[in-house]
């Protein structure tokens, strides 16, 4: 069943995130990731965080925002020392994180004309993949995002199997994003 996630679900969100997403934020501790999601839940309005639960277990979740430009800005502004400390720890444990930092300075990232409405993370726990939960999560996200927005975007790596899934759900490729580490596509979808 699709549910809006709350503070009490964040331990499970962190577990699913860490075990199933290859995201940059995984270089940080579980506490850091939890604090990131808690910040966005408390922020409210521009955040969508929904999950799929089966027999009380979180099988997957989706996180998005209608203000992608501020997604990390407001979090780091309110948690400067915490962010700096955890970034240093992440660099010590994962020196390749330096490539990601360098990439963020040289890549174009958000460009004029890109939508601020973005699906940021979608993850299904490994043991539930292939059961249709991803489709249900996407529908749940679109129902929530569609309450205030009529269009959104997401980024997907060129070699990610999810690319075919998104195309089958009427996403259109907006542009290529050529980073140092990987080639991605920015894809968009109308909710009308």
């Amino acid at each position: 069943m699709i549910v809006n996630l709350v503070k009490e679900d964040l331990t499970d969100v962190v577990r699913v995130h860490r075990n199933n997403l290859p995201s940059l934020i995984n270089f940080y501790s579980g506490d850091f990731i939890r604090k990131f999601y808690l910040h966005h839940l408390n922020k409210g309005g521009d955040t969508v965080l929904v999950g799929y639960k089966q027999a009380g277990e979180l099988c997957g979740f989706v996180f998005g925002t209608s203000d992608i430009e501020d997604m990390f800005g407001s979090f780091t502004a309110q948690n400067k020392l915490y962010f700096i400390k955890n970034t240093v720890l992440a660099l010590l444990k994962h020196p390749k994180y330096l490539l990601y930092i360098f990439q963020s300075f040289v890549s174009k990232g958000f460009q004029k004309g890109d939508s601020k409405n973005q699906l940021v993370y979608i993850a299904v726990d490994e043991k539930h993949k292939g059961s249709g939960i991803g489709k249900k999560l996407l529908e749940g996200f679109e129902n929530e995002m569609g309450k205030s927005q009529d269009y959104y975007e997401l980024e997907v790596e060129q070699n990610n199997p999810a690319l075919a899934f998104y195309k089958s759900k009427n996403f259109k490729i907006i542009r290529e994003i050529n980073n140092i580490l990987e080639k991605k596509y920015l894809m968009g979808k109308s909710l009308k």
Side-chain angles (χ1 to χ4, degrees), residues 1-3 5 9 12-13 15-17 20 49-54 57-63 121-126 128 133-134 136-137:
M1 167 180 10
I2 294 292
V3 296
L5 297 175
D9 297 310
D12 291 330
V13 169
R15 175 186 52 79
V16 172
H17 184 123
N20 299 282
L49 183 60
V50 296
Y52 184 86
K53 288 188 175 184
Q54 186 174 308
E57 176 189 5
L58 183 67
C59 304
F61 75 92
V62 60
F63 166 72
Y121 299 122
I122 184 169
V124 176
D125 203 353
E126 190 66 38
H128 297 287
I133 291 174
K136 292 173 184 170
L137 284 168

Side-chain angles (χ1 to χ4, degrees), residues 75-158:
F75 174 71
T76 56
Q78 289 182 10
N79 301 283
K80 272 188 183 147
L81 293 177
Y82 183 79
F83 177 76
I84 292 167
K85 174 187 163 202
N86 280 275
T87 299
V88 169
L89 290 172
L91 283 168
L92 291 173
K93 289 181 185 175
H94 308 280
K96 74 177 185 178
Y97 181 49
L98 280 170
L99 288 173
Y100 287 97
I101 292 172
F102 177 72
Q103 174 183 305
S104 70
F105 285 110
V106 297
S107 71
K108 294 180 181 173
F110 189 84
Q111 294 182 5
K112 185 176 183 178
D114 290 351
S115 175
K116 289 185 175 188
N117 309 321
Q118 196 165 103
L119 185 156
V120 181
Y121 299 122
I122 184 169
V124 176
D125 203 353
E126 190 66 38
K127 64 184 176 186
H128 297 287
K129 287 190 176 172
S131 63
I133 291 174
K135 178 180 181 260
K136 292 173 184 170
L137 284 168
L138 188 63
E139 290 169 356
F141 174 80
E142 290 177 351
N143 286 339
E144 287 299 312
M145 183 64 81
K147 292 176 181 177
S148 61
Q149 307 298 327
D150 58 8
Y151 175 83
Y152 74 99
E153 296 174 343
L154 59 82
E155 291 180 6
V156 63
E157 297 79 9
Q158 181 185 35

Side-chain angles (χ1 to χ4, degrees), residues 11-49:
T11 299
D12 291 330
V13 169
V14 171
R15 175 186 52 79
V16 172
H17 184 123
R18 291 197 76 129
N19 294 334
N20 299 282
L21 288 174
S23 74
L24 175 63
I25 199 170
N26 278 339
F27 287 134
Y28 292 91
S29 69
D31 181 65
F32 182 93
I33 297 169
R34 184 185 181 290
K35 197 166 188 166
F36 170 81
Y37 283 116
L38 181 59
H39 167 80
H40 286 285
L41 277 177
N42 289 338
K43 195 174 164 193
D46 62 4
T47 298
V48 174
L49 183 60

